[in-house]
Amino acid sequence: MESHLLNGVKTYAPSSREELMAYAIKNQQILVAVNAEKILHATKQSREIINRNLGYPDGAGAVWALKKKGLDAAKIPGCELWLDIVSHYYKTKTFYLVGGKQEIIDQTVKQLEKEFKGINIVNYRNGYIKSDQEKKDLISDIVSKKPDVIFVAMGSPKQELLMEEIQKQHSAVYQGLGGSFDVYTGNVKRAPHWWVKNNLEWTYRLLSQPSRIKRQIHLVRFFINLHLNKY
């Protein structure tokens, strides 16, 4: 699977979700979403985190940037990818979930068990790790239960740093999910399918939350830089 540096961010260009999932499973990688904001606002720390792991094109901006480099990549939203992984592997792999408020993670597990009959979730916990001891206990539990796939929904870079720390003691497939548990359980509404399909999810978010205008203005700069071949 080919990759390219976009403002110093190593971003892979999978042709399909299936290719990305198979590559991650085979190589036991940490999956990190890359979008226009992460490319535009890349820092030394964020670049190093993504470049150590498997950065994939989560948004249309990353896809367009890769295509400008001659790589044909599929857009793979992280909030969909983790469910694709579950759907493809729930009969053969084991899972561990970390993240969200207690009521959200409880609801997520209950919904997964209802939707994917027989799924083996070896354990789960909320994302509020308040001490080093709690983190040590989490890592010990993961090492003990040996899950094949671990989802961590805590936001970046916190989730990536935690996944890297766990991976040092237990090899598995990891994916950082941000607020995906909230979306999955319906506690946060995602853009309707038409907006997502036509790469206008950012527009829907802006219309729904006008306060995001300052954040979205930065995307204009991203597309100008992209047009000027600065990535």
Side-chain angles (χ1 to χ4, degrees):
M1 190 163 55
E2 293 185 273
S3 65
H4 206 288
L5 290 177
L6 305 173
N7 195 23
V9 177
K10 186 178 182 181
T11 310
Y12 284 82
S15 59
S16 67
R17 300 182 188 208
E18 289 73 22
E19 181 185 20
L20 178 62
M21 289 188 292
Y23 187 89
I25 291 287
K26 180 180 178 181
N27 295 283
Q28 296 188 312
Q29 296 268 271
I30 295 176
L31 289 154
V32 184
V34 177
N35 56 27
E37 286 186 86
K38 287 187 179 179
I39 296 169
L40 179 64
H41 299 302
T43 64
K44 183 177 184 292
Q45 182 193 47
S46 68
R47 286 188 184 98
E48 288 176 349
I49 289 173
I50 296 171
N51 295 353
R52 285 195 297 263
N53 299 297
L54 179 51
Y56 64 93
D58 168 81
V63 171
W64 292 336
L66 287 168
K67 288 186 175 180
K68 287 272 287 184
K69 301 297 183 181
L71 300 179
D72 189 19
K75 186 181 84 167
I76 307 175
C79 62
E80 297 176 6
L81 176 61
W82 79 281
L83 290 172
D84 290 330
I85 293 173
V86 171
S87 179
H88 278 72
Y89 298 104
Y90 78 96
K91 293 181 180 179
T92 58
K93 303 293 184 184
T94 57
F95 299 85
Y96 201 113
L97 280 66
V98 180
K101 297 178 181 178
Q102 190 61 48
E103 58 267 29
I104 296 296
I105 191 69
D106 287 340
Q107 191 178 348
T108 297
V109 169
K110 184 177 180 180
Q111 194 166 319
L112 286 170
E113 290 176 338
K114 181 179 179 181
E115 186 175 352
F116 302 98
K117 298 294 185 183
I119 185 172
N120 188 356
I121 299 173
V122 296
N123 207 355
Y124 65 94
R125 65 149 294 154
N126 64 54
Y128 296 87
I129 301 171
K130 300 176 182 178
S131 68
D132 287 340
Q133 187 58 51
E134 282 194 24
K135 183 164 66 173
K136 288 178 182 178
D137 290 343
L138 169 63
I139 295 174
S140 295
D141 191 50
I142 289 174
V143 170
S144 172
K145 292 186 168 60
K146 298 179 171 59
D148 299 306
V149 181
I150 301 168
F151 297 121
V152 181
M154 297 171 66
S156 296
K158 191 175 182 179
Q159 62 191 17
E160 283 79 25
L161 294 173
L162 176 61
M163 289 187 292
E164 287 188 326
E165 191 169 348
I166 301 171
Q167 193 189 48
K168 291 176 182 177
Q169 298 189 48
H170 175 67
S171 295
V173 177
Y174 294 78
Q175 185 185 351
L177 299 182
S180 292
F181 292 160
D182 296 277
V183 174
Y184 177 60
T185 55
N187 288 282
V188 171
K189 186 178 179 183
R190 193 185 177 199
H193 178 71
W194 183 88
W195 297 82
V196 176
K197 181 180 178 181
N198 289 279
N199 295 320
L200 293 171
E201 193 168 1
W202 66 274
T203 308
Y204 179 85
R205 289 177 184 168
L206 180 57
L207 293 173
S208 301
Q209 296 177 271
S211 60
R212 293 174 63 94
I213 185 65
K214 290 182 180 179
R215 183 175 175 182
Q216 300 293 4
I217 284 174
H218 290 298
L219 296 181
V220 175
R221 182 156 61 93
F222 170 82
F223 289 114
I224 291 173
N225 288 346
L226 187 60
H227 180 70
L228 295 174
N229 293 313
K230 289 189 176 182
Y231 298 135

